[in-house]
Short mmCIF file of all heavy atoms in Angstrom, two decimals:
data_model
loop_
_atom_site.label_atom_id
_atom_site.label_comp_id
_atom_site.label_asym_id
_atom_site.label_seq_id
_atom_site.Cartn_x
_atom_site.Cartn_y
_atom_site.Cartn_z
N TYR A 35 -9.15 64.39 17.73
CA TYR A 35 -8.80 63.04 18.20
C TYR A 35 -7.57 62.56 17.46
O TYR A 35 -7.45 62.75 16.24
CB TYR A 35 -9.96 62.06 17.95
CG TYR A 35 -11.10 62.22 18.91
CD1 TYR A 35 -12.15 63.09 18.64
CD2 TYR A 35 -11.14 61.49 20.09
CE1 TYR A 35 -13.20 63.25 19.52
CE2 TYR A 35 -12.19 61.63 20.99
CZ TYR A 35 -13.21 62.52 20.69
OH TYR A 35 -14.25 62.68 21.58
N TYR A 39 -2.15 53.26 16.20
CA TYR A 39 -2.44 51.85 15.97
C TYR A 39 -1.15 51.13 15.60
O TYR A 39 -0.22 51.73 15.04
CB TYR A 39 -3.43 51.68 14.80
CG TYR A 39 -4.87 51.98 15.13
CD1 TYR A 39 -5.37 53.26 14.96
CD2 TYR A 39 -5.73 50.98 15.57
CE1 TYR A 39 -6.71 53.54 15.23
CE2 TYR A 39 -7.06 51.25 15.85
CZ TYR A 39 -7.54 52.53 15.68
OH TYR A 39 -8.85 52.80 15.96
N GLN A 41 0.03 47.54 13.50
CA GLN A 41 -0.46 46.48 12.63
C GLN A 41 0.60 45.41 12.42
O GLN A 41 1.73 45.70 12.02
CB GLN A 41 -0.91 47.03 11.27
CG GLN A 41 -1.58 45.99 10.38
CD GLN A 41 -2.14 46.58 9.11
OE1 GLN A 41 -1.58 47.48 8.51
NE2 GLN A 41 -3.32 46.09 8.70
N ARG A 45 -1.71 39.96 14.66
CA ARG A 45 -2.69 40.60 15.54
C ARG A 45 -3.55 41.64 14.83
O ARG A 45 -4.47 42.20 15.44
CB ARG A 45 -1.98 41.22 16.73
CG ARG A 45 -1.19 40.22 17.55
CD ARG A 45 -0.34 40.93 18.60
NE ARG A 45 -1.18 41.50 19.64
CZ ARG A 45 -1.50 40.87 20.77
NH1 ARG A 45 -1.05 39.65 20.99
NH2 ARG A 45 -2.24 41.46 21.67
N TYR A 52 -5.27 56.57 22.48
CA TYR A 52 -5.83 57.69 21.76
C TYR A 52 -5.97 58.92 22.66
O TYR A 52 -6.06 58.79 23.89
CB TYR A 52 -7.14 57.34 21.05
CG TYR A 52 -8.38 57.24 21.90
CD1 TYR A 52 -9.25 58.32 22.03
CD2 TYR A 52 -8.74 56.03 22.49
CE1 TYR A 52 -10.41 58.22 22.76
CE2 TYR A 52 -9.90 55.92 23.22
CZ TYR A 52 -10.75 57.00 23.35
OH TYR A 52 -11.91 56.90 24.08
N ASP A 60 -7.37 56.79 26.62
CA ASP A 60 -7.33 55.35 26.85
C ASP A 60 -6.00 54.80 26.35
O ASP A 60 -5.72 54.86 25.16
CB ASP A 60 -8.49 54.67 26.11
CG ASP A 60 -8.62 53.19 26.44
OD1 ASP A 60 -7.62 52.54 26.79
OD2 ASP A 60 -9.75 52.66 26.35
N SER A 62 -5.02 51.64 27.31
CA SER A 62 -5.08 50.23 27.70
C SER A 62 -4.46 49.29 26.66
O SER A 62 -4.12 48.16 26.97
CB SER A 62 -6.53 49.81 27.97
OG SER A 62 -7.32 50.00 26.81
N PHE A 95 0.63 53.03 12.76
CA PHE A 95 -0.18 54.05 12.11
C PHE A 95 -0.64 55.08 13.12
O PHE A 95 -1.08 54.75 14.22
CB PHE A 95 -1.42 53.42 11.47
CG PHE A 95 -1.16 52.64 10.21
CD1 PHE A 95 -1.16 51.25 10.23
CD2 PHE A 95 -0.95 53.29 9.01
CE1 PHE A 95 -0.94 50.52 9.07
CE2 PHE A 95 -0.73 52.57 7.84
CZ PHE A 95 -0.71 51.19 7.87
N ARG A 102 -16.58 62.69 17.73
CA ARG A 102 -16.55 61.37 18.37
C ARG A 102 -16.78 60.22 17.41
O ARG A 102 -16.10 59.22 17.46
CB ARG A 102 -17.61 61.32 19.46
CG ARG A 102 -17.28 62.07 20.72
CD ARG A 102 -18.28 61.77 21.80
NE ARG A 102 -18.30 60.36 22.13
CZ ARG A 102 -19.38 59.59 22.06
NH1 ARG A 102 -20.52 60.08 21.66
NH2 ARG A 102 -19.31 58.31 22.37
N ILE A 103 -17.80 60.35 16.60
CA ILE A 103 -18.17 59.23 15.75
C ILE A 103 -18.06 59.69 14.31
O ILE A 103 -19.01 60.20 13.73
CB ILE A 103 -19.60 58.76 16.04
CG1 ILE A 103 -19.82 58.59 17.54
CG2 ILE A 103 -19.92 57.50 15.26
CD1 ILE A 103 -19.02 57.48 18.16
N THR A 104 -16.90 59.56 13.75
CA THR A 104 -16.68 60.13 12.44
C THR A 104 -15.53 59.43 11.74
O THR A 104 -14.92 58.52 12.30
CB THR A 104 -16.39 61.64 12.59
OG1 THR A 104 -16.29 62.22 11.30
CG2 THR A 104 -15.08 61.85 13.31
N THR A 105 -15.27 59.84 10.53
CA THR A 105 -14.21 59.23 9.74
C THR A 105 -12.86 59.40 10.43
O THR A 105 -12.52 60.49 10.89
CB THR A 105 -14.14 59.89 8.36
OG1 THR A 105 -15.42 59.83 7.76
CG2 THR A 105 -13.12 59.19 7.49
N ILE A 106 -12.12 58.32 10.48
CA ILE A 106 -10.75 58.37 10.98
C ILE A 106 -9.81 58.32 9.79
O ILE A 106 -9.92 57.43 8.95
CB ILE A 106 -10.49 57.20 11.95
CG1 ILE A 106 -11.35 57.36 13.20
CG2 ILE A 106 -9.02 57.12 12.32
CD1 ILE A 106 -11.23 56.22 14.18
N GLY A 109 -2.50 58.01 8.65
CA GLY A 109 -1.25 58.35 7.98
C GLY A 109 -0.75 57.15 7.21
O GLY A 109 -1.35 56.06 7.25
N GLN B 6 -11.83 41.79 20.00
CA GLN B 6 -11.72 42.04 18.58
C GLN B 6 -12.93 41.50 17.82
O GLN B 6 -13.35 40.36 18.02
CB GLN B 6 -10.45 41.37 18.05
CG GLN B 6 -10.00 41.87 16.70
CD GLN B 6 -8.63 41.31 16.34
OE1 GLN B 6 -8.26 40.21 16.74
NE2 GLN B 6 -7.87 42.07 15.60
N HIS B 36 -17.65 50.98 11.20
CA HIS B 36 -16.88 51.65 10.15
C HIS B 36 -16.26 50.59 9.26
O HIS B 36 -15.78 49.58 9.75
CB HIS B 36 -15.73 52.47 10.77
CG HIS B 36 -16.17 53.49 11.77
ND1 HIS B 36 -15.69 54.77 11.78
CD2 HIS B 36 -17.04 53.44 12.81
CE1 HIS B 36 -16.24 55.45 12.77
NE2 HIS B 36 -17.06 54.66 13.42
N TYR B 38 -13.30 49.93 6.25
CA TYR B 38 -12.10 50.46 5.63
C TYR B 38 -11.55 49.42 4.65
O TYR B 38 -11.74 48.21 4.83
CB TYR B 38 -11.01 50.76 6.68
CG TYR B 38 -11.27 52.01 7.48
CD1 TYR B 38 -12.21 52.01 8.51
CD2 TYR B 38 -10.58 53.18 7.21
CE1 TYR B 38 -12.45 53.16 9.23
CE2 TYR B 38 -10.81 54.34 7.94
CZ TYR B 38 -11.75 54.32 8.94
OH TYR B 38 -11.99 55.47 9.67
N GLN B 40 -7.81 48.42 2.77
CA GLN B 40 -6.36 48.67 2.79
C GLN B 40 -5.69 47.89 1.68
O GLN B 40 -5.86 46.67 1.59
CB GLN B 40 -5.77 48.28 4.14
CG GLN B 40 -4.28 48.59 4.28
CD GLN B 40 -3.72 48.17 5.63
OE1 GLN B 40 -4.19 47.21 6.24
NE2 GLN B 40 -2.71 48.88 6.11
N ALA B 45 -2.05 52.86 3.68
CA ALA B 45 -2.88 53.09 4.85
C ALA B 45 -4.31 52.64 4.58
O ALA B 45 -4.76 52.64 3.44
CB ALA B 45 -2.87 54.58 5.20
N PHE B 48 -11.00 55.00 4.38
CA PHE B 48 -12.39 54.95 4.84
C PHE B 48 -13.35 54.65 3.69
O PHE B 48 -13.22 55.20 2.59
CB PHE B 48 -12.73 56.31 5.46
CG PHE B 48 -14.18 56.51 5.77
CD1 PHE B 48 -14.74 55.93 6.88
CD2 PHE B 48 -14.97 57.28 4.94
CE1 PHE B 48 -16.08 56.11 7.18
CE2 PHE B 48 -16.31 57.48 5.23
CZ PHE B 48 -16.86 56.90 6.35
N ILE B 51 -19.50 54.74 7.25
CA ILE B 51 -19.89 54.55 8.66
C ILE B 51 -21.38 54.25 8.70
O ILE B 51 -22.17 54.89 7.98
CB ILE B 51 -19.66 55.82 9.49
CG1 ILE B 51 -18.20 56.16 9.61
CG2 ILE B 51 -20.23 55.65 10.89
CD1 ILE B 51 -17.96 57.47 10.36
N LEU B 53 -24.48 53.95 11.62
CA LEU B 53 -24.80 54.20 13.02
C LEU B 53 -25.92 53.31 13.51
O LEU B 53 -26.71 52.79 12.71
CB LEU B 53 -25.20 55.67 13.22
CG LEU B 53 -24.15 56.70 12.83
CD1 LEU B 53 -24.69 58.10 13.04
CD2 LEU B 53 -22.88 56.49 13.61
N PHE B 91 -11.49 45.87 6.44
CA PHE B 91 -11.58 45.83 7.89
C PHE B 91 -12.88 46.49 8.34
O PHE B 91 -13.26 47.55 7.83
CB PHE B 91 -10.43 46.60 8.56
CG PHE B 91 -9.09 45.98 8.36
CD1 PHE B 91 -8.25 46.39 7.33
CD2 PHE B 91 -8.63 45.00 9.24
CE1 PHE B 91 -7.00 45.84 7.16
CE2 PHE B 91 -7.37 44.44 9.08
CZ PHE B 91 -6.56 44.86 8.04
N GLN B 95 -17.39 50.60 17.18
CA GLN B 95 -17.45 51.39 18.40
C GLN B 95 -18.59 50.83 19.24
O GLN B 95 -19.72 50.73 18.75
CB GLN B 95 -17.71 52.86 18.08
CG GLN B 95 -16.49 53.56 17.53
CD GLN B 95 -16.76 54.99 17.14
OE1 GLN B 95 -17.71 55.26 16.43
NE2 GLN B 95 -15.90 55.91 17.57
N GLY B 99 -20.21 54.60 24.95
CA GLY B 99 -19.97 56.04 24.96
C GLY B 99 -18.54 56.45 24.71
O GLY B 99 -18.22 57.64 24.74
N GLU B 101 -14.85 56.50 22.35
CA GLU B 101 -14.56 56.74 20.94
C GLU B 101 -13.67 55.67 20.33
O GLU B 101 -13.27 55.76 19.18
CB GLU B 101 -13.87 58.09 20.77
CG GLU B 101 -14.65 59.27 21.32
CD GLU B 101 -14.38 59.55 22.79
OE1 GLU B 101 -13.68 58.75 23.45
OE2 GLU B 101 -14.88 60.57 23.27
N LYS B 102 -13.35 54.65 21.10
CA LYS B 102 -12.43 53.62 20.61
C LYS B 102 -13.01 52.90 19.41
O LYS B 102 -14.16 52.48 19.41
CB LYS B 102 -12.19 52.57 21.70
CG LYS B 102 -11.15 52.96 22.71
CD LYS B 102 -11.09 51.98 23.84
CE LYS B 102 -10.56 50.64 23.45
NZ LYS B 102 -10.21 49.83 24.63
N LEU B 103 -12.19 52.74 18.40
CA LEU B 103 -12.56 51.98 17.21
C LEU B 103 -11.70 50.72 17.20
O LEU B 103 -10.49 50.80 17.02
CB LEU B 103 -12.32 52.82 15.96
CG LEU B 103 -12.91 52.29 14.65
CD1 LEU B 103 -14.42 52.26 14.72
CD2 LEU B 103 -12.45 53.18 13.48
N PHE B 105 -10.73 47.25 15.50
CA PHE B 105 -10.81 46.67 14.17
C PHE B 105 -10.87 45.15 14.20
O PHE B 105 -10.29 44.50 15.08
CB PHE B 105 -9.61 47.10 13.32
CG PHE B 105 -9.74 48.50 12.80
CD1 PHE B 105 -9.20 49.57 13.50
CD2 PHE B 105 -10.42 48.76 11.62
CE1 PHE B 105 -9.32 50.87 13.03
CE2 PHE B 105 -10.57 50.05 11.14
CZ PHE B 105 -10.01 51.11 11.86
#
Side-chain angles (χ1 to χ4, degrees):
Chain A
Y35 285 89
Y39 283 90
Q41 186 174 37
R45 301 172 70 92
Y52 77 95
D60 187 332
S62 59
F95 286 104
R102 285 189 60 237
I103 311 294
T104 185
T105 306
I106 294 177
Chain B
Q6 197 172 30
H36 303 225
Y38 284 77
Q40 184 181 30
F48 170 78
I51 294 176
L53 301 179
F91 293 95
Q95 285 177 310
E101 303 88 352
K102 278 173 68 166
L103 192 64
F105 282 93

